[in-house]
Each structure stands twice: as C-alpha cells, then as structure tokens.
Amino acid sequence: MNRQPDNAGLNAHGSAPESYRRGAMNSRLKPHHAVIALGAGIALFTAASGVIPIITEWHDDSSVQREVFDNIPTALKLSFYSVVPLLLVYGSYMFAMRVK
C-alpha cells in the first residue's frame, strides 16, 4: 500500500509552501473564468428571450409585423430555446479549456 509520509507537502524547512498557505481559492479572476461567465450570460439572455414570451404569451398586436415562428408548436419552441443555451454554455466551457 502506498502511504505518504506525515510530512508530505512540506518543504525542507518543515513549513508548508506558499501555495498551501494562501488557501485553496485565489481571488483573482482568470481569463478562462471570464470566458465561461460571458458564455453563461449569453446563454441566460438567449433562454430568457425565448422562454419568457412563451410563458407570458407576449406578442405584438400591430397590423404590420413578421411572425417569427409561424405554425411551430410551443413545445418545439421551448425545446429550441432550452437546447441552444446549453450548447452555448458547452461551447464557452470548451473555449475556456482552450484559453487555459
């Protein structure tokens, strides 16, 4: 059985290195975190712009307008506006891994 010695992680002087003393969290925003946040924000906006009008039955009553989803069932619109944000978050995560 591989067992680490009791002084694992200590330097030659018997103290923990600087990375252990600072704690597990670094308060600095890293570029890949910014990419994920941007992607999540865009995904939230996309989901909200698609789902809120469906739920609130919000539509324009003007005489001149363009019907965006003509004869498309509400369930299909809801699934579209649910899948697209997931793909946006996945794409931002994959791009964040590239930014790392």
Side-chain angles (χ1 to χ4, degrees):
M1 197 152 72
N2 290 336
R3 186 164 180 246
Q4 293 183 343
D6 291 335
N7 63 351
L10 301 179
N11 61 19
H13 302 290
S15 63
E18 181 66 28
S19 61
Y20 287 119
R21 286 187 292 223
R22 280 187 282 162
M25 295 203 44
N26 190 356
S27 62
R28 196 173 128 245
L29 179 68
K30 296 179 181 174
H32 67 277
H33 293 150
V35 168
I36 292 173
L38 180 65
I42 292 171
L44 282 173
F45 177 77
T46 302
S49 68
V51 173
I52 289 174
I54 292 172
I55 293 171
T56 61
E57 296 179 8
W58 178 37
H59 59 276
D60 189 11
D61 291 328
S62 66
S63 61
V64 179
Q65 68 177 3
R66 179 178 65 93
E67 191 65 37
V68 178
F69 285 111
D70 194 25
N71 296 327
I72 304 292
T74 303
L76 191 58
K77 288 188 263 186
L78 186 63
S79 65
F80 174 79
Y81 280 109
S82 300
V83 171
V84 169
L86 291 175
L87 292 174
L88 288 169
V89 169
Y90 175 72
S92 69
Y93 173 76
M94 296 305 289
F95 184 64
M97 294 298 107
R98 181 74 180 148
V99 169
K100 260 188 186 180

